[in-house]
Amino acid sequence: MTALRRSSYAAAFLACMALPAAAFERISTKSEFVQTVSGKNLTIFGISVSVQPDGAIGGRAYGRKVKGQWQWRDGFFCRDLFWGDMDLGPNCQVVKVHGDVIRFRSDKGTGRYADLTMR
């Protein structure tokens, strides 16, 4: 089997594993968000971060330090983040949850999303 064919199968397999958007429930309050993430690491391949109730964000992503601050504003998780020396800037995100998976969707829910496992 060629490498291209293997990668196509792998992509198809991962797409089948993705949870449908309807399976997720939106987190709409700061207290619900804090209760959901408190004491947990949020992980996905190469990334492990924690979001603290006091507004701090910390962890590592692909070998670099992650640090920042967050606040809850008008139903959105709004963060200002650094990845190593790179300033990723501010972004307000929709947060949804399904079991132990939390989904952050950038640009107030109109941008890209990342699903992280809460451990």
Side-chain angles (χ1 to χ4, degrees):
M1 185 180 303
T2 68
L4 178 59
R5 194 171 193 187
R6 278 194 304 267
S7 67
S8 296
Y9 284 124
F13 176 74
L14 291 173
C16 291
M17 290 180 50
L19 293 169
F24 285 85
E25 293 184 30
R26 183 161 181 183
I27 294 176
S28 56
T29 67
K30 179 181 178 179
S31 61
E32 184 182 6
F33 177 75
V34 168
Q35 182 179 4
T36 301
V37 301
S38 189
K40 297 176 182 160
N41 283 324
L42 311 180
T43 64
I44 192 170
F45 182 78
I47 301 171
S48 180
V49 296
S50 63
V51 180
Q52 302 301 317
D54 68 359
I57 301 171
R60 296 197 64 80
Y62 304 108
R64 294 183 183 176
K65 186 176 180 178
V66 173
K67 65 179 179 174
Q69 296 291 316
W70 72 274
Q71 57 182 269
W72 198 263
R73 196 166 51 236
D74 300 323
F76 297 98
F77 169 82
C78 297
R79 58 91 177 134
D80 204 350
L81 203 60
F82 282 84
W83 177 48
D85 293 333
M86 185 182 298
D87 184 352
L88 300 180
N91 195 275
C92 291
Q93 305 176 0
V94 167
V95 181
K96 295 184 176 184
V97 67
H98 177 74
D100 65 349
V101 177
I102 190 162
R103 176 174 285 179
F104 292 87
R105 187 165 202 133
S106 66
D107 304 324
K108 292 189 173 181
T110 64
R112 299 170 83 175
Y113 70 86
D115 290 345
L116 294 100
T117 302
M118 297 180 288
R119 298 179 194 266

